[in-house]
Amino acid sequence: QANWLQLLRFTQVLRRWERPNRSLRTMIRYSPGKWGIAFAFSLKGSVFPKACVFAAPAGLLAIVLHYIFRDPQYADAIGVGNLHGGGALGGFYTILGFLIVFRSQQAYSRWWEGGSLLQQMRGEWFNAFSSVLAFCNSSPERSAEVTRFQHLFVRLVSMLYGAALSDVSELVDTNMEFFELTGISNESLSFLQQAHFKSEVVLQWIQRLIHEASGSEVIKVAPPILSRVYNQLGNGIVLLNNAQKLNEFPVPFPVGQMIVFMLMLHWIFTVLVCASTADSPVYAFFEAFVVVIIYWSVHYIAEELEQPFGDDPNDLPIAEMQYDMNESLKDLMSEQARNVPIFDFDMEMHSQLQTKVLSLDEHLGKIRKQVTGEYSEHRKKWNTASAQRSAKRCSRLTRVSMRMCEDQSAPRGSDKGSTAGGEPAPLDKKHQAQPDETLPLGGPPLPDGLLPPPSGAPPPGGTPPALP
């Protein structure tokens, strides 16, 4: 039975939960494909629609001005084709291009740094959680205290990571996944709600919890080794503060103002130049449209990436990161993850240290099918045997109950059901049941109303009760 229970736990560990069918805020993941072209026509997360707001009017206005500039009475007055100021205009375009490219590079660096800091923070806190679980006392006498500590600890770690993501992000919808918080005192949760930074308060709870567990020997480890856990928790909060600077310190206002102002001037100059130099209105439209949409698209890309902790499709997947953290914590809380795997060592085979090339996922999948198949077969046999035992218990209980009812309903003094002294005849040993006796095969005890009176004792109430 113990082996089958162990097999059942192992099967439950292997059975991974499928991702819930709900809309997590995930960033865009795309595949370039064979030629790397098809994905470019997707509009989800694209900056082209926003850039077209400026590019389309620029092309249409270039067509109108092209016809005006081609009118002789306006051409001489305006000086169409006179590009003596082309050098100054070229310098303007160069400075604007440099500023836009520089801002886009800085924006991508901020985006990448934000994701790296959050992943490093997750690694520090997850490693601390794993170490604390490994340090837990394995004594059977302390199992209840250890289990209580582990379940409170996993809830606080999940709350810590979720609170950290909430503190650093600018999400409109702040709903995230947390383990059930029922059981944690309402006073503590109320204090947490009004805290300036919730992650700092939860971190303090975790450190205090570890300290108390170490003092009560729920965690059995030397203090110098346990100090590593505190260092990892502290490293995580430092990484969180570094991530918060990306959210609190945007691009300096003069830089953003100058770029937008130069883009508006660039829009005007581009329309005028394309309308006056193009040979046909079609060329004027496409030249103005393409130049404007390129500059404004690069500008909007920089704006998208400068704040990586928002709700935009190109921002970091904050809610999905919390979900992945909870799934990892669930895996470590399972019985098989907390115990060392059983190793059936064979000196002759294992001492050779042979290697084998295989796919780990496929190999584990075959083992899982084998384990689940054995468990299903055992479960089917167990259900059949259980049904047979239940039927036998019901039949036995029915026979005993009918026998007692017949004995109690027999008239006093009759040959059947009473002795010479007028007392009810006792049941034979085959059907007799005592008040403390339970039926075989784990059946329930008989109800008090169906128990026969002791041998030689008068029935309660003086006369036997009549059958209904």
Side-chain angles (χ1 to χ4, degrees), residues 228-427:
R228 178 187 176 189
V229 174
Y230 292 105
N231 292 334
Q232 290 173 334
L233 293 173
N235 293 338
I237 204 68
V238 171
L239 293 171
L240 175 62
N241 289 328
N242 289 333
Q244 285 177 338
K245 74 179 181 182
L246 303 178
N247 192 26
E248 297 177 358
F249 304 148
V251 174
F253 172 76
V255 177
Q257 183 187 40
M258 176 59 68
I259 291 177
V260 173
F261 185 74
M262 292 183 69
L263 281 173
M264 290 188 294
L265 292 178
H266 169 268
W267 187 91
I268 297 174
F269 293 153
T270 300
V271 172
L272 294 176
V273 171
C274 292
S276 61
T277 58
D279 295 333
S280 67
V282 177
Y283 289 161
F285 173 83
F286 279 107
E287 288 178 1
F289 182 86
V290 170
V291 173
V292 172
I293 197 173
I294 289 176
Y295 273 82
W296 282 91
S297 295
V298 177
H299 169 68
Y300 281 129
I301 289 175
E303 284 191 347
E304 286 269 346
L305 301 182
E306 282 174 355
Q307 297 294 338
F309 308 121
D311 289 307
D312 296 332
N314 296 302
D315 291 335
L316 297 175
I318 302 297
E320 188 177 7
M321 295 171 70
Q322 173 69 7
Y323 173 84
D324 292 337
M325 180 66 167
N326 289 337
E327 291 299 304
S328 298
L329 296 178
K330 286 180 186 178
D331 290 341
L332 287 194
M333 283 294 292
S334 62
E335 186 74 18
Q336 293 294 330
R338 286 180 289 164
N339 297 326
V340 180
I342 299 174
F343 181 52
D344 188 8
F345 179 70
D346 187 345
M347 176 63 72
E348 180 180 356
M349 178 178 64
H350 294 115
S351 61
Q352 299 178 7
L353 296 178
Q354 296 180 354
T355 59
K356 183 178 181 180
V357 179
L358 52 83
S359 173
L360 184 60
D361 291 337
E362 294 180 0
H363 183 67
L364 295 180
K366 293 178 181 179
I367 296 178
R368 178 183 178 183
K369 290 180 180 179
Q370 180 181 358
V371 171
T372 54
E374 292 178 359
Y375 169 72
S376 301
E377 185 66 24
H378 168 72
R379 185 68 182 178
K380 184 185 299 182
K381 295 180 180 178
W382 186 86
N383 288 337
T384 303
S386 178
Q388 293 175 355
R389 290 194 298 268
S390 299
K392 186 180 293 186
R393 285 197 298 269
C394 293
S395 177
R396 187 71 173 270
L397 180 62
T398 302
R399 292 197 304 269
V400 173
S401 302
M402 293 178 62
R403 177 64 176 172
M404 288 189 297
C405 291
E406 292 175 359
D407 294 338
Q408 291 181 0
S409 62
R412 293 177 61 88
S414 62
D415 295 337
K416 180 181 179 181
S418 62
T419 61
E423 298 177 354
L427 295 174

Side-chain angles (χ1 to χ4, degrees), residues 128 130-138 218-221 225-226 229:
S130 176
S131 299
V132 171
L133 287 191
F135 299 154
C136 286
N137 196 333
S138 59
V218 173
I219 299 176
K220 293 190 65 176
V221 66
I225 300 178
L226 186 60
V229 174

